[in-house]
């Protein structure tokens, strides 16, 4: 869809607002051409000494009245039009937001957050300006131009009008040339602003790390560079936009010189009255606005087009994960992975290859293996954040891809290693998936997640605000709040991706024991580096280099012996470490 197409569909939907603004503009244009004509008559009547006393005052009052009416109409169309144009901004932002919320990790892997934020602010503004200001100024300018030229030609003298219009084609040509450059420069300016935004976003997110590493000076320098580049790009774009004005000025001066020459000659030979030449001069000055409008409209349009190209690239980017499944509820049953192969885009080696695994419904699976062995990747495939390149994953006999994404989101509770707490109270953060949960239910899951006491000690208990604008919880507390949140969601599949890494061993044990007791048919998959935490799991799977290396119960895996199994080896190491710590 091009910008023109977008605006056409929008104008069609808001036809009433645009039509009302158009009618008001037409009235303004008619009044505007009427005024010089009236002034011309007045001048002729005054020169002929035909107008005096009350009649003169009446004529003047009429002119003033017309001026006031023009003013009111101008205010009116702006109010009508801007209400519609803002609506377009809202619609675009909503579309962009919905798209961003739908997109999967593949999209975010290649896009920068700051730039996406720039799209939602700067770029949407530019498109909004093109749909509002530019559309109406274009309409207004064209209307005034046509009316003024027609009145000049028909109402005054067509020869004079033809001469005055001679320099206009040259202006059109220079406008086309300037527009081309304005487009390129605007795109550049929008991109630079995106870079700048991105840097600010990154700095604010990592401000603690930056400070700890003493990198503020370097970051500031980089910021200054980016801010300079963004300012230069905007300046370049403005420099080109500024060239519209001299083009208008030159055209106008040439038109005035030409028409005064011919006009003077015509007056001399009695073919034109002085009043008519006065009107003509006034008409010429009325062409200033349409010409400036043309330059301005072109600048806004080109800026809007550059912004729309950037926006539509994001809006039209296909979803990383197709949501074309039809099964709208999950059927909790056996989870089967069959010969799953998955490689991240841009990577040369596979994160998972030939992985086959059966997970009994209602069982707890411990997932272990060295860092980078593919544990998180497996969790992400189960969440359908990514799709395997070959092989299949099914749940309760239905392929994962045949479910709607909504069904999967509702059927799976997931706790990542670094959960996000939003700016809300602790209770609201826990009740994210079920805002209707009672305080008693919230406290019950907090007990299970062994975080109730921590919360009770906060200044306002469960009502304490947390997240960006609230109390900062420790890593372990955040993890436990996230586990409580997942438990409250009460989904048939619970995925804990190293979700207790910041919690001490004893608490981790306690939480997992609670999960075990309260699972009520729920399947649980726990990724953990601490093998002792998983000793009670029904099954333990060991991943290495994306393969299933070992599988069995804790006892079975230990029985393989240190010489033959990663699990037994790792168990021995961790036991030794624990005993050294105790000493
Ligand atoms: P684990 O959870 O066992 O530590 P991961 O599943 O995170 O391992 O990683 C498996 C492999 O995939 C690693 O080689 C890692 O570098 C790679 N990987 C993980 N996430 C991404 C990603 N988003 N993009 C590209 N490669 C990734």
């Amino acid at each position: 869809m091009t910008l023109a197409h977008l605006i056409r569909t929008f104008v069609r939907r808001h036809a009433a607002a645009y039509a009302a603004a158009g009618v008001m503009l037409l009235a303004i244009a008619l009044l505007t051409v009427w005024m010089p004509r009236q002034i011309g008559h007045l001048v002729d009547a005054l020169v002929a000494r035909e107008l005096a006393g009350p009649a003169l005052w009446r004529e003047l009052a009429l002119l003033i009245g017309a001026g006031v009416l023009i003013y009111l109409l101008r205010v009116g169309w702006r109010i009508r039009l801007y209400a519609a144009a803002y609506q377009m901004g809202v619609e675009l932002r909503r579309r962009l937001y919905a798209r961003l919320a739908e997109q999967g990790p593949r999209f975010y892997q290649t896009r920068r957050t700051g730039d996406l934020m720039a799209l939602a602010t700067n770029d949407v503004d530019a498109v909004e300006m093109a749909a509002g200001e530019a559309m109406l100024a274009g309409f207004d300018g064209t209307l005034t131009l046509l009316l003024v030229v027609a009145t000049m030609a028909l109402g005054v003298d067509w020869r004079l009008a033809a001469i005055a219009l001679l320099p206009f084609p040259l202006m059109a040509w220079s406008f086309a040339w300037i527009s081309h450059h304005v487009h390129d420069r605007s795109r550049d300016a929008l991109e630079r602003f995106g870079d700048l935004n991105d840097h600010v976003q990154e700095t604010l997110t990592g401000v603690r790390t930056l400070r700890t590493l003493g990198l503020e000076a370097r970051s500031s320098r980089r910021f200054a560079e980016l801010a300079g580049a963004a300012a230069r790009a905007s300046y370049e774009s403005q420099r080109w936009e500024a060239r519209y004005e001299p083009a208008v000025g030159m055209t106008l001066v040439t038109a005035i010189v030409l028409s005064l020459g011919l006009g003077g000659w015509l007056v001399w030979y009695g073919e034109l009255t002085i009043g008519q030449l006065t009107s003509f001069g006034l008409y010429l000055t009325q062409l200033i606005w349409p010409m400036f409008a043309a330059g301005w409209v072109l600048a806004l349009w080109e800026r809007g087009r550059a912004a729309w190209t950037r926006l539509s690239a994001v809006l039209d980017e296909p979803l990383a994960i197709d949501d074309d499944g039809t099964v709208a509820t999950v059927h909790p049953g056996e989870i089967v992975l069959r010969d799953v192969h998955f490689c991240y885009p841009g990577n040369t080696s596979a994160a998972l290859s030939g992985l086959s695994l059966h997970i009994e419904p209602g069982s707890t699976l411990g997932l272990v293996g060295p860092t980078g062995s593919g544990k998180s990747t497996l969790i992400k495939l189960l969440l359908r954040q990514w799709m395997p390149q070959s092989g299949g994953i099914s749940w309760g006999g239905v392929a994962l891809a045949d479910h709607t994404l909504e069904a999967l989101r509702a059927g799976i509770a997931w706790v990542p290693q670094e959960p996000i707490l939003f700016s809300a109270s602790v209770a609201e953060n826990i009740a994210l998936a079920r805002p209707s949960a009672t305080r008693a239910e919230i406290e019950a899951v907090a007990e299970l997640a062994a975080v109730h006491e921590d919360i009770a000690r906060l200044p306002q208990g469960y009502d304490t605000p947390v997240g960006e604008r609230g109390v900062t919880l420790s890593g372990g507390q955040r993890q436990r709040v996230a586990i409580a949140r997942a438990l409250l969601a009460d989904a048939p599949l619970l995925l804990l991706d190293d979700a207790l890494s910041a919690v001490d061993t004893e608490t981790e044990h306690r939480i997992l024991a609670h999960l075990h007791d309260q699972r009520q048919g729920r399947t649980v998959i726990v990724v953990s580096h601490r093998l002792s935490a998983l000793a009670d799991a029904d099954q333990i799977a060991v991943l290495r280099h994306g393969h299933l290396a070992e599988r069995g119960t804790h006892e079975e895996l230990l029985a393989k012996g240190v010489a033959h199994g990663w699990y037994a080896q790792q168990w021995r190491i961790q036991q030794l470490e624990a005993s050294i710590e105790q000493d």
Side-chain angles (χ1 to χ4, degrees), residues 147-167:
L147 277 172
V148 170
V149 170
T151 333
M152 283 193 325
L154 305 174
V156 185
D157 191 286
W158 67 268
R159 291 164 298 183
L160 213 49
I163 286 284
L165 290 182
L166 272 182

Side-chain angles (χ1 to χ4, degrees), residues 42 50-62:
L42 218 67
E50 285 168 4
L51 203 64
L56 176 62
W57 288 116
R58 212 177 30 249
E59 292 291 333
L60 287 178
L62 212 61

Side-chain angles (χ1 to χ4, degrees), residues 352-388:
L352 292 177
S353 55
L355 183 70
S356 296
L357 199 63
H358 283 243
I359 305 165
E360 291 296 322
S363 69
T364 300
L365 175 78
L367 203 53
V368 298
T371 309
S373 56
K375 303 180 296 290
S376 291
T377 305
L378 174 56
I379 299 281
K380 287 178 198 157
L381 292 189
L382 288 174
L383 285 163
R384 211 156 159 251
Q385 288 183 356
W386 297 91
M387 296 278 281

Side-chain angles (χ1 to χ4, degrees), residues 220-410:
S220 300
R221 254 198 321 276
R222 177 90 190 113
F223 178 82
E225 273 168 30
L226 288 173
R232 266 194 306 280
S234 286
Y235 172 71
E236 267 304 306
S237 156
Q238 293 292 331
R239 228 162 60 103
W240 276 95
E241 283 181 26
R243 293 183 192 189
Y244 286 119
E245 278 189 29
V248 167
M250 293 284 285
T251 311
L252 203 70
V253 167
T254 321
I256 290 174
V257 168
L258 287 174
S259 52
L260 273 186
L262 181 69
W265 190 79
L266 287 173
V267 170
W268 183 259
Y269 284 97
E271 294 194 24
L272 207 67
T273 65
I274 294 189
Q276 279 176 315
L277 191 58
T278 311
S279 299
F280 194 84
L282 288 174
Y283 283 130
L284 270 183
T285 57
Q286 283 191 343
L287 284 183
I288 298 178
W289 156 238
M291 288 193 292
F292 274 119
W296 192 42
V297 166
L298 282 175
L300 289 181
W301 185 258
E302 291 307 332
R303 220 184 288 160
R305 233 160 47 89
W308 178 243
T309 311
R310 278 163 46 80
L311 268 169
S312 53
V314 168
L315 289 174
D316 296 341
E317 178 152 334
L319 287 183
I321 297 286
D322 294 323
D323 190 10
D324 47 16
T326 50
V327 182
T329 46
V330 295
H331 302 281
E334 190 184 27
I335 296 172
V336 181
L337 286 96
R338 194 176 25 77
D339 203 15
V340 167
H341 180 96
F342 176 73
C343 181
Y344 284 99
N347 280 13
T348 44
S349 60
L352 292 177
S353 55
L355 183 70
S356 296
L357 199 63
H358 283 243
I359 305 165
E360 291 296 322
S363 69
T364 300
L365 175 78
L367 203 53
V368 298
T371 309
S373 56
K375 303 180 296 290
S376 291
T377 305
L378 174 56
I379 299 281
K380 287 178 198 157
L381 292 189
L382 288 174
L383 285 163
R384 211 156 159 251
Q385 288 183 356
W386 297 91
M387 296 278 281
Q389 274 96 19
S390 67
I393 306 179
S394 67
W395 187 11
V398 182
L400 224 48
D402 290 341
H403 291 90
T404 61
L405 283 179
E406 206 183 331
L408 290 178
R409 303 280 178 266

Side-chain angles (χ1 to χ4, degrees), residues 10 14 17-18 21 75-91 128 132:
F10 182 78
H14 295 268
Y18 278 88
V75 173
W77 78 252
R78 277 176 182 270
I79 290 177
R80 248 348 228 139
L81 184 79
Y82 281 109
Y86 283 137
Q87 190 57 35
M88 171 166 229
V90 172
E91 276 175 35
E128 198 179 294

